[in-house]
Amino acid sequence: MQYYSLHKTAPVVDFKTATIQGQAPDKGLYFPAQIPQHSFIDTINKMNDADICFRAIAPFVGDCITEEQLYKIVTETISFPIPLQPIHEKISSLELFHGPTLAFKDIGARFMSRCLAEFCKNEKKKITVLVATSGDTGGAVASGFYKVPNVEVIILYPSGKVSPVQEKQLTTLGYNIHALEVLGSFDDCQQMVKLAFADKDLQENYFLTSANSINIARWLPQQFYYFLSYKQLQDKSEAPIFSVPSGNFGNICAGIMAYATGLPVQHFIAACNINDVVSNYLAGNPYQIKQATPTLSNAMDVGNPSNFNRILEIFKQEMSSLKRIFSSATVTDNEIIATIKGVYQKHGYLLDPHTAVGYHALEKFITNHTSKNNIVLATAHPVKFPEAIQIATGEKTPIPNHLSLLMEAEKKSILLEANYAKFKEWLSNRN
Ligand SMILES: *Cc1c(COP(=O)(O)O)cnc(C)c1O
C-alpha cells in the first residue's frame, strides 16, 4: 500500500515510511492510495478476533511487515476484551477501556509501538517519538512504548488540564518515557510538536516521529473496534449506528474507513463537547479553527480536529456524500452530568464523561428512529474521572488496586513554557 500526503506535494511512501515520518514533509496527513475492499465480512461470525483484525489491517500494511509478524502484532494489540455490553434494549456500549490505561487509545498505541519496534530493529539512530496529549494519548503511548528498545518517547501535556489519573499514567513510568508539563493548552502542545517536525535543524540530528492520532499506525488499527463490534451483533439484519465521542476525529475517521472497506454501517455520529468546529462547518459555516475550551470530557477538547480532512478525503472531499452517512452533535457539560446521572439511576451503568457525550448524542439521534443496533463507543473507564462521577451520582467510584498503586507513584515531569524556542532548547540540550 502506498500513502500520499493530503497536501499532495510530498512523495508517495509505503506504510513503513509513513509510520516513521508521522506527518508528510509537506505537513500533510498521509492517506492510503487505495481503499481495499474486504471479502471476509460475510463470514465474520465464524472468525476469531485476531483473524478479523489481521484481515482488516493487512492490506494497509502491505509487505512492510511479514504476515507472521503482523499477526503477532495484532494478537498482542488486542490482548484484552472488547465487549459489546447492552445498557438497555436500544443502546449498547462498546467497551474499549479494558486495556492497560483504561482508554481506547491503548489499541492504536500498542499497534504503533510494535510496528515501530519492528521497523527500527536494524536502525542505528534512536527513534524519538514526540507526542502532544490532551489526556489519554500520553498514557496509552507511554504504556505502549514503555521499555521498547531504541525508542525514546517525549510527551507534551497541558499543565493542570489532564485528570490526576491521566497525569500519573504519563509521568510515573520513567526509563525511556519523558513527560513535559507545558504551561499552556493542548493546542499549544500540538503546535510545538508540529513546529518540531517542520524544523530542519532537528530533523538533521534526530530521527523524529509522532505518535499522535495523525500517525497512520495509530489511526488505522482503530478500525478493529468497528469490525469486532459488528461481529458481536446478535441480529445483523440492520446495519449499526455508531456514536463516537470525538475530539481529534481519529477514532471516527477509522470507523468511516472500515465502512469504506465494506463494513455495513447505517450512520456515524461524531459526538463532540462544546468544541464544535465540525458541527459549525456541517451547518454550512466556514471551517473555523478555535481555541479549545476546557470541558469535563477533556480528551476531546480540541479546537482544530486534525483528522477531519481525512474523513473528507474518504468521500473525495464531497460534503454531500459525507452527510449521507455522517452527522455531528454538540453536548454541554451540564448534559454530560445529567446523562451520567440518568443512565446510572435508570440502568445501573456508569458512563465516563466522554462516553456520556456519545450516549447523549446517540439517544437524541435515535429518538425518531426505529433502529435496533445502536452502539456508543465507550472510550474511557469511569474510574479515570472520579470527580465528574461523584458530581453526577453523589457516589465515590471504588478505585481498582492497580490504580491506587499508580496514584502513589511519584510524578516526574519537566515544566516548560508554551514556547517553541524553549522546547527546542530543551530538546537540543539532551544527549
Ligand atoms: C482521545 C479521546 C477521545 C477522542 O478521540 P479522537 O480520536 O481524538 O476523536 C474520546 N474519548 C477519550 C476518552 C479519549 O481519550
Side-chain angles (χ1 to χ4, degrees), residues 103-105 136 222 245-251 299-300 352 354 379-380:
F104 79 95
K105 292 192 175 74
D136 284 334
Q222 301 187 73
S246 296
N248 224 359
F249 282 62
N251 185 353
M300 291 153 50
D352 94 285
H354 304 79
T379 50

Side-chain angles (χ1 to χ4, degrees), residues 181-200:
E181 184 174 354
V182 175
L183 300 163
S185 66
F186 167 66
D187 288 327
D188 291 329
C189 297
Q190 201 167 33
Q191 186 59 20
M192 286 157 80
V193 168
K194 278 187 185 156
L195 288 171
F197 284 116
D199 191 321
K200 293 226 163 57

Side-chain angles (χ1 to χ4, degrees), residues 124-330:
K124 297 212 173 63
K125 257 199 216 167
K126 237 187 190 176
I127 289 192
T128 303
V129 175
L130 279 187
V131 56
T133 182
S134 56
D136 284 334
T137 297
V141 168
S143 155
F145 282 91
Y146 183 50
K147 294 189 179 170
V148 170
N150 257 338
V151 181
E152 231 194 349
V153 178
I154 296 168
I155 300 167
L156 288 82
Y157 73 97
S159 180
K161 298 196 179 75
V162 303
S163 83
V165 175
Q166 287 172 330
E167 184 168 43
K168 289 284 184 172
Q169 283 176 336
L170 43 104
T171 58
T172 57
L173 288 174
Y175 287 92
N176 58 331
I177 313 292
H178 312 278
L180 293 185
E181 184 174 354
V182 175
L183 300 163
S185 66
F186 167 66
D187 288 327
D188 291 329
C189 297
Q190 201 167 33
Q191 186 59 20
M192 286 157 80
V193 168
K194 278 187 185 156
L195 288 171
F197 284 116
D199 191 321
K200 293 226 163 57
D201 300 345
L202 289 183
Q203 294 293 349
E204 267 168 32
N205 297 309
Y206 293 85
F207 198 162
L208 288 183
T209 188
S210 112
N212 276 357
S213 60
I214 58 167
N215 194 299
I216 56 160
R218 270 198 55 201
W219 167 48
L220 293 168
Q222 301 187 73
Q223 295 177 86
F224 298 168
Y225 319 144
Y226 300 85
F227 289 102
L228 295 178
S229 63
Y230 185 73
K231 177 188 169 185
Q232 293 175 69
L233 287 178
Q234 302 280 337
D235 176 357
K236 293 187 175 51
S237 62
E238 200 180 90
I241 294 175
F242 288 105
S243 179
V244 188
S246 296
N248 224 359
F249 282 62
N251 185 353
I252 194 165
C253 182
I256 297 172
M257 181 55 89
Y259 162 76
T261 63
L263 183 76
V265 178
Q266 195 179 141
H267 194 79
F268 288 98
I269 304 164
C272 301
N273 59 31
I274 55 165
N275 293 288
D276 58 359
V277 178
V278 169
S279 293
N280 273 336
Y281 180 61
L282 291 178
N285 300 308
Y287 191 85
Q288 185 141 40
I289 296 169
K290 285 191 197 161
Q291 278 276 337
T293 307
T295 72
L296 289 172
S297 49
N298 66 9
M300 291 153 50
D301 296 346
V302 181
N304 182 15
S306 320
N307 286 290
F308 187 64
N309 200 10
R310 277 189 174 135
I311 296 182
L312 285 170
E313 189 72 2
I314 296 176
F315 294 95
K316 305 200 164 58
Q317 305 286 330
E318 278 171 28
M319 277 284 273
S320 53
S321 331
L322 169 63
K323 279 183 171 174
R324 243 172 267 142
I325 186 101
F326 174 92
S327 61
S328 73
T330 303

Side-chain angles (χ1 to χ4, degrees), residues 345-400:
Q345 284 177 348
K346 256 198 234 149
H347 309 291
Y349 189 86
L350 207 47
L351 302 167
D352 94 285
H354 304 79
T355 310
V357 170
Y359 183 96
H360 184 85
L362 180 57
E363 197 173 44
K364 216 165 162 183
F365 184 84
I366 62 173
T367 321
N368 303 315
H369 272 74
T370 53
S371 56
K372 309 184 254 211
N373 293 325
N374 307 307
I375 300 174
V376 58
L377 271 62
T379 50
H381 198 296
V383 298
K384 290 188 89 173
F385 306 93
E387 294 87 2
I389 302 298
Q390 191 163 7
I391 295 170
T393 65
E395 290 174 26
K396 278 205 159 72
T397 27
I399 298 207

